[in-house]
Amino acid sequence: LGITNITDMKFSPDGLNFYLTGTGGDRVFQYKLSTAWDLSPSSVYYQGDSLALGDTAPQAMSISQDGRYMYFIGSTYDRVFSYTMSVPFMIGSADLASQRWLGGTVTNPKGIYLVPDGSKYETGFQSLHLKDDGTRLYVIGTTTDAISQYDLTTAWDIKSARKGLLQSGMSSDTAIQAFTLSSDGQYIYYWESANRFIQRYTLTTPYDILAVTSRQAIPASMFASAGPGLAISANGSYVFALDAST
């Protein structure tokens, strides 16, 4: 696919656009799929678009549901950055002048706050996700191995984020590398890197990580080594995980 050291992947809601980012190149690359959700070589072709990012060694990315915004987290600043795209889902149309970011303070330039008093920060981010209507942001990092949840008072605007709620105890694994939510917000999926399981948690209140009730382990032994990316198709019929061994 023309990119090395892949760290994350995302799809457009219709499954016809596929995005990859990685530390080999510090860019986001876009690919078109001739058949929705089909990553076979005959279906994938390079769109010709890529975007140079405002941070190095990108670890995670996301695309808004309407395709107007792209988000990513790099390793230098450990912040969430966003860009506006004038053509929905086309990263080549991203306006670099529209860059906004969440995280960092004068005393702690790296990381994102986790709790309302600002006393705890998360760094070493592995994955991020946004609610389908743009009013909530979720991130996970290696400091806590737990999801932090932020409400956005203005949809899709990360600068409007309210200090987060930290969810712990959702997994027994201390090396969680990726997560995603179902399109209806009823399930959250974890990539259990040590146990090589995908854990599916049920949320009694859609999109609320504090409303976890039960979990189901989905074996992922077909992957030789845990990768950092995880995605679920909009209809729930397909699951995608990056394999770090290839």
Side-chain angles (χ1 to χ4, degrees), residues 65-181:
Q65 186 74 7
D66 60 7
R68 295 186 300 133
Y69 304 99
M70 189 200 75
Y71 306 84
F72 84 97
I73 298 179
S75 296
T76 300
Y77 297 109
D78 277 331
R79 300 176 183 176
V80 180
F81 291 84
S82 71
Y83 296 100
T84 301
M85 294 183 285
S86 58
V87 180
F89 300 106
M90 300 299 293
I91 62 173
S93 72
D95 179 9
L96 297 182
S98 69
Q99 177 179 279
R100 296 171 71 82
W101 67 86
L102 168 67
T105 65
V106 173
T107 57
N108 190 350
K110 293 190 65 172
I112 299 175
Y113 47 67
L114 294 176
V115 294
D117 65 6
S119 62
K120 294 182 180 180
Y121 276 73
E122 179 68 285
T123 57
F125 293 98
Q126 300 289 322
S127 192
L128 80 153
H129 190 86
L130 283 98
K131 186 179 176 183
D132 284 1
D133 64 1
T135 60
R136 188 163 287 171
L137 167 72
Y138 312 85
V139 294
I140 191 170
T142 57
T143 301
T144 63
D145 282 311
I147 292 179
S148 52
Q149 171 179 297
Y150 304 83
D151 288 331
L152 306 183
T153 56
T154 301
W156 307 114
D157 183 3
I158 56 175
K159 295 293 284 187
S160 71
R162 299 172 56 193
K163 293 186 178 181
L165 297 171
L166 179 64
Q167 171 64 294
S168 59
M170 290 181 68
S171 172
S172 59
D173 194 346
T174 58
I176 301 168
Q177 289 190 294
F179 77 95
T180 190
L181 281 83

Side-chain angles (χ1 to χ4, degrees), residues 18 28-29 38 50 52-53 56 94 136 146 163 183 186 188 191 236 242:
F18 180 55
V28 172
F29 293 83
D38 182 5
S50 66
L53 301 173
T56 59
R136 188 163 287 171
K163 293 186 178 181
S183 59
Q186 293 185 337
I188 187 167
W191 178 234
L242 291 176

Side-chain angles (χ1 to χ4, degrees), residues 21-33:
T21 190
T23 57
D26 295 334
R27 306 177 74 90
V28 172
F29 293 83
Q30 179 176 355
Y31 304 84
K32 299 293 287 187
L33 306 183

